[in-house]
Coordinates of all heavy atoms in Angstrom, one line a residue:
M1 N 12.0 -23.0 93.9 CA 10.6 -22.8 94.3 C 9.8 -24.0 93.8 O 9.9 -24.4 92.7 CB 10.1 -21.5 93.8 CG 8.8 -21.1 94.4 SD 8.3 -19.4 94.1 CE 9.2 -18.6 95.4
T2 N 8.9 -24.5 94.6 CA 8.0 -25.6 94.2 C 6.7 -25.1 93.5 O 6.4 -23.9 93.6 CB 7.6 -26.5 95.4 OG1 6.8 -25.7 96.3 CG2 8.8 -27.0 96.1
F3 N 6.0 -26.1 92.9 CA 4.7 -25.7 92.2 C 3.8 -25.0 93.2 O 3.2 -24.0 92.9 CB 4.1 -26.9 91.6 CG 2.7 -26.7 91.2 CD1 2.4 -26.0 90.0 CD2 1.6 -27.0 92.0 CE1 1.1 -25.7 89.6 CE2 0.3 -26.7 91.6 CZ 0.0 -26.1 90.4
K4 N 3.6 -25.6 94.4 CA 2.7 -25.1 95.4 C 3.0 -23.7 95.7 O 2.1 -22.8 95.8 CB 2.5 -26.0 96.6 CG 3.8 -26.0 97.5 CD 3.5 -26.8 98.8 CE 4.7 -26.7 99.7 NZ 4.4 -27.3 101.0
E5 N 4.3 -23.4 95.9 CA 4.7 -22.0 96.3 C 4.5 -21.0 95.1 O 4.0 -19.9 95.3 CB 6.2 -22.0 96.7 CG 6.5 -22.8 97.9 CD 7.9 -23.1 98.1 OE1 8.7 -23.3 97.2 OE2 8.4 -23.1 99.3
R6 N 4.9 -21.5 93.9 CA 4.8 -20.6 92.8 C 3.3 -20.3 92.4 O 3.0 -19.2 92.1 CB 5.5 -21.3 91.6 CG 5.7 -20.5 90.4 CD 6.5 -19.2 90.4 NE 7.8 -19.3 91.1 CZ 9.0 -19.4 90.5 NH1 9.1 -19.7 89.2 NH2 10.1 -19.4 91.2
F7 N 2.5 -21.4 92.5 CA 1.0 -21.2 92.2 C 0.4 -20.2 93.2 O -0.3 -19.3 92.8 CB 0.3 -22.6 92.3 CG -1.1 -22.5 92.0 CD1 -1.5 -22.7 90.7 CD2 -2.0 -22.4 93.0 CE1 -2.9 -22.6 90.4 CE2 -3.4 -22.4 92.7 CZ -3.8 -22.5 91.4
R8 N 0.7 -20.3 94.4 CA 0.1 -19.5 95.5 C 0.6 -18.0 95.3 O -0.2 -17.1 95.4 CB 0.4 -20.0 96.9 CG -0.2 -19.1 98.0 CD 0.0 -19.8 99.3 NE -0.9 -19.2 100.4 CZ -0.5 -18.1 101.0 NH1 0.6 -17.5 100.8 NH2 -1.4 -17.6 101.9
E9 N 1.9 -17.9 95.0 CA 2.5 -16.6 94.7 C 1.8 -15.9 93.6 O 1.5 -14.7 93.7 CB 4.0 -16.8 94.5 CG 4.7 -15.5 94.2 CD 6.2 -15.8 93.9 OE1 6.5 -16.1 92.8 OE2 7.0 -15.6 94.9
L10 N 1.7 -16.6 92.5 CA 1.0 -16.0 91.3 C -0.4 -15.6 91.6 O -0.9 -14.5 91.2 CB 1.1 -17.0 90.2 CG 2.4 -17.2 89.5 CD1 2.4 -18.5 88.6 CD2 2.9 -16.0 88.7
R11 N -1.1 -16.5 92.3 CA -2.5 -16.2 92.6 C -2.6 -14.9 93.5 O -3.4 -14.0 93.2 CB -3.2 -17.3 93.4 CG -4.6 -17.1 93.8 CD -5.3 -18.2 94.5 NE -4.6 -18.5 95.8 CZ -4.8 -17.8 96.9 NH1 -5.6 -16.7 96.9 NH2 -4.2 -18.1 98.1
I12 N -1.8 -14.8 94.5 CA -1.8 -13.7 95.5 C -1.4 -12.4 94.7 O -2.0 -11.3 94.9 CB -1.0 -14.0 96.7 CG1 -1.8 -15.0 97.5 CG2 -0.8 -12.7 97.5 CD1 -1.0 -15.6 98.7
E13 N -0.3 -12.5 93.9 CA 0.2 -11.3 93.2 C -0.9 -10.7 92.3 O -0.9 -9.5 92.1 CB 1.4 -11.7 92.3 CG 2.7 -11.9 93.0 CD 3.8 -12.3 92.1 OE1 3.6 -12.6 90.9 OE2 4.9 -12.4 92.6
R14 N -1.7 -11.5 91.8 CA -2.8 -11.0 90.9 C -4.1 -10.7 91.7 O -5.1 -10.3 91.0 CB -3.1 -12.1 89.8 CG -1.9 -12.1 88.8 CD -1.8 -13.3 88.0 NE -0.8 -13.3 87.0 CZ 0.5 -13.4 87.2 NH1 1.0 -13.6 88.4 NH2 1.3 -13.4 86.1
G15 N -4.0 -10.8 93.0 CA -5.2 -10.4 93.8 C -6.4 -11.3 93.6 O -7.5 -10.9 93.8
L16 N -6.1 -12.6 93.4 CA -7.2 -13.6 93.2 C -7.4 -14.4 94.4 O -6.5 -14.9 95.0 CB -6.8 -14.5 92.0 CG -6.6 -13.8 90.6 CD1 -6.0 -14.7 89.6 CD2 -7.9 -13.2 90.1
V17 N -8.7 -14.7 94.7 CA -9.0 -15.7 95.7 C -9.1 -17.1 95.1 O -9.2 -17.2 93.9 CB -10.3 -15.3 96.4 CG1 -10.2 -14.0 97.1 CG2 -11.5 -15.3 95.5
Q18 N -9.0 -18.1 96.0 CA -9.0 -19.4 95.5 C -10.2 -19.7 94.7 O -10.2 -20.5 93.7 CB -8.8 -20.4 96.6 CG -7.4 -20.5 97.2 CD -7.4 -21.5 98.3 OE1 -8.3 -22.0 98.8 NE2 -6.1 -21.8 98.7
Q19 N -11.4 -19.3 95.1 CA -12.6 -19.6 94.4 C -12.6 -19.0 93.0 O -13.1 -19.7 92.1 CB -13.8 -19.1 95.2 CG -15.2 -19.5 94.6 CD -15.3 -21.0 94.7 OE1 -15.3 -21.6 95.7 NE2 -15.5 -21.6 93.5
K20 N -12.1 -17.8 92.8 CA -12.1 -17.2 91.5 C -11.2 -18.1 90.5 O -11.5 -18.3 89.4 CB -11.5 -15.8 91.6 CG -11.2 -15.1 90.2 CD -12.4 -14.8 89.4 CE -12.0 -14.0 88.2 NZ -12.8 -14.3 87.0
V21 N -10.0 -18.5 91.0 CA -9.1 -19.3 90.2 C -9.8 -20.6 89.9 O -9.8 -21.1 88.8 CB -7.8 -19.5 91.0 CG1 -6.9 -20.5 90.2 CG2 -7.1 -18.2 91.2
A22 N -10.4 -21.2 91.0 CA -11.2 -22.5 90.7 C -12.2 -22.3 89.7 O -12.3 -23.2 88.7 CB -11.8 -23.0 92.1
D23 N -13.0 -21.3 89.7 CA -14.0 -21.1 88.7 C -13.4 -20.9 87.3 O -13.9 -21.5 86.4 CB -14.9 -19.8 89.0 CG -15.7 -20.0 90.3 OD1 -15.9 -21.2 90.8 OD2 -16.2 -19.0 90.9
D24 N -12.4 -20.1 87.2 CA -11.8 -19.8 85.9 C -11.1 -21.1 85.3 O -11.1 -21.3 84.1 CB -10.7 -18.7 86.1 CG -11.3 -17.4 86.4 OD1 -12.5 -17.2 86.2 OD2 -10.5 -16.5 86.7
L25 N -10.6 -21.9 86.2 CA -9.9 -23.1 85.7 C -10.8 -24.4 85.7 O -10.4 -25.5 85.4 CB -8.7 -23.5 86.6 CG -7.6 -22.5 86.6 CD1 -6.5 -22.9 87.6 CD2 -7.0 -22.3 85.2
K26 N -12.1 -24.1 86.0 CA -13.1 -25.2 86.1 C -12.6 -26.4 87.0 O -12.7 -27.5 86.6 CB -13.4 -25.7 84.7 CG -14.0 -24.6 83.8 CD -14.3 -25.1 82.4 CE -14.9 -24.0 81.6 NZ -14.7 -22.7 81.7
E27 N -12.2 -26.0 88.2 CA -11.8 -26.9 89.2 C -12.6 -26.6 90.5 O -13.2 -25.5 90.6 CB -10.3 -26.8 89.5 CG -9.4 -27.2 88.4 CD -9.3 -28.7 88.2 OE1 -9.8 -29.5 89.2 OE2 -8.8 -29.2 87.2
S28 N -12.5 -27.4 91.5 CA -13.2 -27.1 92.8 C -12.2 -26.2 93.6 O -11.0 -26.3 93.4 CB -13.5 -28.4 93.5 OG -12.3 -29.0 94.0
R29 N -12.8 -25.5 94.6 CA -11.9 -24.7 95.4 C -11.0 -25.6 96.3 O -9.9 -25.3 96.5 CB -12.7 -23.8 96.3 CG -11.8 -22.7 96.9 CD -12.2 -22.2 98.3 NE -12.5 -23.3 99.2 CZ -11.6 -23.9 100.0 NH1 -10.4 -23.7 99.9 NH2 -12.0 -24.8 100.9
S30 N -11.5 -26.8 96.6 CA -10.7 -27.7 97.4 C -9.5 -28.2 96.6 O -8.4 -28.5 97.2 CB -11.5 -28.8 98.0 OG -12.0 -29.6 96.9
T31 N -9.7 -28.4 95.3 CA -8.5 -28.8 94.4 C -7.5 -27.7 94.5 O -6.3 -28.0 94.6 CB -9.0 -29.1 93.0 OG1 -9.9 -30.2 93.0 CG2 -7.8 -29.3 92.1
I32 N -7.9 -26.4 94.3 CA -6.9 -25.4 94.4 C -6.2 -25.3 95.7 O -5.0 -25.2 95.8 CB -7.6 -24.0 94.1 CG1 -8.3 -24.0 92.7 CG2 -6.6 -22.8 94.3 CD1 -7.4 -24.3 91.6
S33 N -7.0 -25.5 96.8 CA -6.4 -25.6 98.2 C -5.4 -26.7 98.3 O -4.3 -26.5 98.9 CB -7.5 -25.7 99.2 OG -7.0 -25.8 100.5
H34 N -5.7 -27.8 97.8 CA -4.8 -29.0 97.8 C -3.5 -28.7 97.1 O -2.4 -29.0 97.5 CB -5.5 -30.2 97.2 CG -6.4 -30.9 98.2 ND1 -7.6 -31.3 97.8 CD2 -6.3 -31.2 99.5 CE1 -8.3 -31.9 98.8 NE2 -7.5 -31.8 99.9
W35 N -3.6 -28.1 95.9 CA -2.4 -27.7 95.1 C -1.5 -26.8 95.9 O -0.4 -26.9 96.0 CB -2.8 -27.0 93.8 CG -3.4 -27.9 92.8 CD1 -3.6 -29.2 92.8 CD2 -4.0 -27.4 91.6 NE1 -4.2 -29.7 91.7 CE2 -4.5 -28.6 90.9 CE3 -4.2 -26.2 91.0 CZ2 -5.2 -28.5 89.7 CZ3 -4.9 -26.2 89.7 CH2 -5.3 -27.3 89.1
E36 N -2.2 -25.8 96.6 CA -1.4 -24.8 97.4 C -0.8 -25.4 98.6 O 0.2 -25.0 99.1 CB -2.2 -23.6 97.7 CG -2.5 -22.7 96.5 CD -3.2 -21.4 96.9 OE1 -3.3 -21.1 98.1 OE2 -3.6 -20.7 96.0
A37 N -1.4 -26.5 99.1 CA -0.9 -27.2 100.3 C 0.1 -28.2 100.0 O 0.7 -28.9 100.9 CB -2.1 -27.7 101.1
G38 N 0.3 -28.5 98.7 CA 1.2 -29.6 98.3 C 0.7 -30.9 98.4 O 1.4 -31.9 98.5
R39 N -0.7 -31.1 98.5 CA -1.3 -32.4 98.6 C -1.7 -32.9 97.3 O -2.4 -33.9 97.2 CB -2.5 -32.3 99.5 CG -2.1 -32.0 101.0 CD -3.3 -32.2 102.0 NE -4.4 -31.3 101.6 CZ -4.6 -30.2 102.2 NH1 -3.8 -29.7 103.2 NH2 -5.7 -29.5 101.9
G40 N -1.2 -32.4 96.2 CA -1.5 -32.8 94.8 C -1.0 -31.7 93.9 O -0.8 -30.6 94.3
E41 N -0.9 -32.1 92.6 CA -0.5 -31.2 91.6 C -1.3 -31.6 90.3 O -1.8 -32.7 90.2 CB 1.0 -31.4 91.2 CG 1.9 -30.9 92.3 CD 3.4 -30.9 91.9 OE1 3.7 -31.2 90.7 OE2 4.2 -30.6 92.8
P42 N -1.5 -30.6 89.5 CA -2.3 -30.9 88.3 C -1.6 -31.7 87.3 O -0.3 -31.8 87.3 CB -2.5 -29.4 87.7 CG -1.5 -28.6 88.3 CD -1.1 -29.2 89.6
C43 N -2.4 -32.5 86.5 CA -1.8 -33.3 85.4 C -1.1 -32.4 84.4 O -1.3 -31.1 84.4 CB -2.8 -34.2 84.8 SG -4.1 -33.2 83.8
T44 N -0.4 -33.0 83.5 CA 0.3 -32.2 82.4 C -0.6 -31.3 81.6 O -0.3 -30.1 81.4 CB 1.1 -33.1 81.5 OG1 2.0 -33.9 82.3 CG2 1.9 -32.3 80.5
E45 N -1.8 -31.8 81.2 CA -2.7 -31.0 80.5 C -3.2 -29.8 81.2 O -3.3 -28.7 80.7 CB -3.8 -31.9 80.0 CG -3.5 -32.8 78.8 CD -2.9 -32.1 77.6 OE1 -3.5 -31.1 77.2 OE2 -1.8 -32.5 77.2
K46 N -3.5 -30.0 82.5 CA -4.0 -28.9 83.4 C -2.8 -27.9 83.6 O -3.0 -26.7 83.7 CB -4.6 -29.5 84.7 CG -5.2 -28.4 85.6 CD -6.3 -27.6 84.9 CE -7.6 -28.4 84.8 NZ -8.8 -27.6 84.5
L47 N -1.6 -28.4 83.8 CA -0.4 -27.5 83.9 C -0.3 -26.5 82.8 O 0.0 -25.3 83.0 CB 0.9 -28.3 84.0 CG 1.3 -28.8 85.4 CD1 2.6 -29.7 85.2 CD2 1.5 -27.7 86.4
K48 N -0.6 -27.0 81.6 CA -0.6 -26.1 80.4 C -1.6 -25.0 80.6 O -1.4 -23.8 80.3 CB -0.9 -26.9 79.1 CG 0.2 -27.9 78.7 CD -0.2 -28.7 77.5 CE 0.7 -29.7 77.2 NZ 0.3 -30.6 76.0
I49 N -2.8 -25.4 81.0 CA -3.9 -24.4 81.2 C -3.5 -23.4 82.3 O -3.8 -22.2 82.1 CB -5.2 -25.2 81.5 CG1 -5.7 -26.0 80.3 CG2 -6.3 -24.3 81.9 CD1 -6.7 -27.0 80.5
V50 N -3.0 -23.9 83.4 CA -2.6 -23.1 84.5 C -1.6 -22.1 84.1 O -1.6 -20.9 84.4 CB -2.2 -23.9 85.7 CG1 -1.6 -23.0 86.8 CG2 -3.3 -24.7 86.3
A51 N -0.5 -22.6 83.4 CA 0.5 -21.7 82.9 C 0.0 -20.6 81.9 O 0.3 -19.4 82.1 CB 1.6 -22.5 82.1
D52 N -0.9 -21.0 81.0 CA -1.6 -20.0 80.1 C -2.4 -19.0 81.0 O -2.4 -17.8 80.7 CB -2.5 -20.6 79.1 CG -1.7 -21.3 78.0 OD1 -0.5 -21.0 77.8 OD2 -2.3 -22.1 77.3
Y53 N -3.1 -19.5 81.9 CA -4.0 -18.6 82.8 C -3.1 -17.5 83.4 O -3.6 -16.3 83.5 CB -4.6 -19.5 83.8 CG -5.5 -18.7 84.8 CD1 -6.8 -18.3 84.4 CD2 -5.1 -18.6 86.1 CE1 -7.6 -17.6 85.3 CE2 -5.9 -17.9 87.1 CZ -7.2 -17.4 86.6 OH -8.0 -16.8 87.5
F54 N -2.0 -17.9 84.0 CA -1.1 -16.9 84.7 C -0.1 -16.2 83.7 O 0.6 -15.3 84.2 CB -0.4 -17.6 85.8 CG -1.2 -17.9 87.0 CD1 -1.3 -19.2 87.4 CD2 -1.8 -16.9 87.7 CE1 -2.1 -19.5 88.6 CE2 -2.6 -17.2 88.8 CZ -2.8 -18.5 89.3
G55 N -0.1 -16.6 82.4 CA 0.8 -16.0 81.5 C 2.3 -16.3 81.8 O 3.2 -15.5 81.6
V56 N 2.6 -17.6 82.2 CA 3.9 -18.0 82.5 C 4.2 -19.3 81.8 O 3.3 -19.9 81.2 CB 4.2 -18.1 84.0 CG1 4.0 -16.9 84.7 CG2 3.3 -19.2 84.6
T57 N 5.4 -19.7 81.8 CA 5.8 -21.0 81.2 C 5.5 -22.1 82.2 O 5.5 -21.9 83.4 CB 7.2 -21.1 80.7 OG1 8.1 -20.9 81.9 CG2 7.5 -20.0 79.7
I58 N 5.4 -23.3 81.7 CA 5.3 -24.5 82.7 C 6.6 -24.6 83.5 O 6.6 -24.8 84.7 CB 5.0 -25.8 81.9 CG1 3.6 -25.8 81.3 CG2 5.2 -27.0 82.8 CD1 3.3 -27.0 80.5
D59 N 7.7 -24.3 82.9 CA 9.0 -24.4 83.6 C 9.0 -23.4 84.8 O 9.5 -23.7 85.8 CB 10.2 -24.1 82.7 CG 10.6 -25.3 81.8 OD1 10.1 -26.4 82.1 OD2 11.5 -25.1 80.9
Y60 N 8.5 -22.2 84.5 CA 8.4 -21.2 85.6 C 7.5 -21.7 86.7 O 7.8 -21.6 87.9 CB 8.0 -19.8 85.1 CG 7.9 -18.8 86.1 CD1 9.0 -18.1 86.6 CD2 6.7 -18.5 86.7 CE1 9.0 -17.2 87.6 CE2 6.6 -17.5 87.7 CZ 7.7 -16.9 88.2 OH 7.7 -15.9 89.2
L61 N 6.3 -22.2 86.3 CA 5.3 -22.6 87.2 C 5.8 -23.7 88.1 O 5.4 -23.7 89.3 CB 4.0 -23.1 86.4 CG 2.8 -23.4 87.1 CD1 2.3 -22.2 87.9 CD2 1.7 -23.9 86.2
V62 N 6.6 -24.7 87.6 CA 7.1 -25.8 88.4 C 8.4 -25.5 89.1 O 9.0 -26.4 89.7 CB 7.1 -27.1 87.6 CG1 5.7 -27.5 87.1 CG2 8.1 -27.1 86.5
G63 N 8.9 -24.3 88.9 CA 10.1 -23.9 89.5 C 11.4 -24.3 88.9 O 12.5 -24.2 89.5
K64 N 11.4 -24.7 87.6 CA 12.6 -25.0 86.9 C 13.4 -23.8 86.4 O 14.6 -23.9 86.2 CB 12.3 -25.9 85.7 CG 11.9 -27.3 86.1 CD 11.8 -28.2 84.9 CE 13.1 -28.4 84.3 NZ 13.2 -29.5 83.3
T65 N 12.7 -22.7 86.4 CA 13.3 -21.4 86.0 C 12.7 -20.3 86.8 O 11.6 -20.4 87.2 CB 13.2 -21.2 84.4 OG1 13.9 -19.9 84.2 CG2 11.8 -21.0 84.0
N66 N 13.5 -19.2 86.9 CA 12.9 -18.0 87.6 C 12.7 -16.9 86.6 O 12.3 -15.8 87.0 CB 13.9 -17.6 88.7 CG 13.9 -18.5 89.8 OD1 12.8 -19.1 90.2 ND2 15.0 -18.7 90.5
S67 N 12.9 -17.2 85.3 CA 12.7 -16.2 84.3 C 11.2 -16.1 83.9 O 10.6 -17.1 83.5 CB 13.5 -16.5 83.0 OG 14.9 -16.6 83.3
L68 N 10.7 -14.9 84.1 CA 9.3 -14.7 83.7 C 9.2 -14.3 82.3 O 10.0 -13.5 81.8 CB 8.7 -13.5 84.5 CG 8.1 -13.9 85.9 CD1 7.7 -12.6 86.6 CD2 6.9 -14.7 85.7
P69 N 8.2 -14.9 81.5 CA 8.0 -14.5 80.2 C 7.4 -13.1 80.1 O 6.9 -12.5 81.2 CB 7.0 -15.5 79.6 CG 6.3 -16.0 80.8 CD 7.3 -15.9 82.0
L70 N 7.3 -12.5 79.0 CA 6.8 -11.1 78.8 C 5.3 -11.1 78.5 O 4.8 -10.0 78.3 CB 7.6 -10.3 77.7 CG 9.1 -10.2 78.0 CD1 9.8 -9.6 76.9 CD2 9.3 -9.4 79.3
S71 N 4.7 -12.2 78.4 CA 3.3 -12.3 78.0 C 2.4 -11.9 79.2 O 2.8 -12.0 80.3 CB 2.9 -13.7 77.5 OG 3.0 -14.6 78.5
E72 N 1.2 -11.5 78.8 CA 0.2 -11.2 79.8 C -0.6 -12.4 80.2 O -0.9 -13.3 79.3 CB -0.7 -10.1 79.3 CG -0.1 -8.7 79.1 CD 0.3 -8.1 80.5 OE1 -0.5 -8.2 81.4 OE2 1.4 -7.6 80.6
P73 N -1.1 -12.5 81.4 CA -2.0 -13.6 81.8 C -3.3 -13.6 81.0 O -3.7 -12.5 80.6 CB -2.2 -13.5 83.3 CG -1.7 -12.1 83.7 CD -0.9 -11.6 82.5
K74 N -3.9 -14.7 80.8 CA -5.2 -14.7 80.0 C -6.4 -14.5 81.0 O -6.3 -14.8 82.1 CB -5.3 -16.0 79.3 CG -4.4 -16.1 78.2 CD -4.6 -17.4 77.4 CE -3.6 -17.4 76.2 NZ -3.7 -18.6 75.4

């Protein structure tokens, strides 16, 4: 699974709209839309923030593993 697929899946599973995620991550809604469309990906520092936000590892977020951690999203 790719970052764009995993990111969108996590957002939808949590019942979040793009604008809410954008506000929480201090990004624009268009940036979130671009990530989900595969027209860009966050830098490493932002990947850490996104992983913490959803309560997953970076490896899970970028599709390197399918193992979910047991932590709760922030």
Side-chain angles (χ1 to χ4, degrees):
M1 190 170 274
T2 64
F3 169 79
K4 70 178 186 172
E5 295 165 327
R6 189 62 49 94
F7 182 86
R8 184 172 193 275
E9 177 182 84
L10 288 165
R11 179 182 63 77
I12 290 171
E13 281 176 357
R14 287 158 175 78
L16 301 169
V17 296
Q18 286 183 348
Q19 188 62 59
K20 170 70 172 143
V21 175
D23 293 344
D24 291 347
L25 296 177
K26 297 177 179 33
E27 293 288 346
S28 68
R29 195 212 47 84
S30 65
T31 295
I32 301 303
S33 177
H34 281 135
W35 291 351
E36 288 189 7
R39 292 190 301 263
E41 291 186 4
C43 67
T44 303
E45 287 303 311
K46 186 58 80 167
L47 273 176
K48 293 176 188 177
I49 294 167
V50 173
D52 285 345
Y53 178 75
F54 286 119
V56 299
T57 63
I58 292 174
D59 282 351
Y60 180 81
L61 190 60
V62 300
K64 287 187 71 170
T65 182
N66 289 324
S67 299
L68 272 173
L70 300 176
S71 67
E72 292 293 316
K74 293 184 178 181

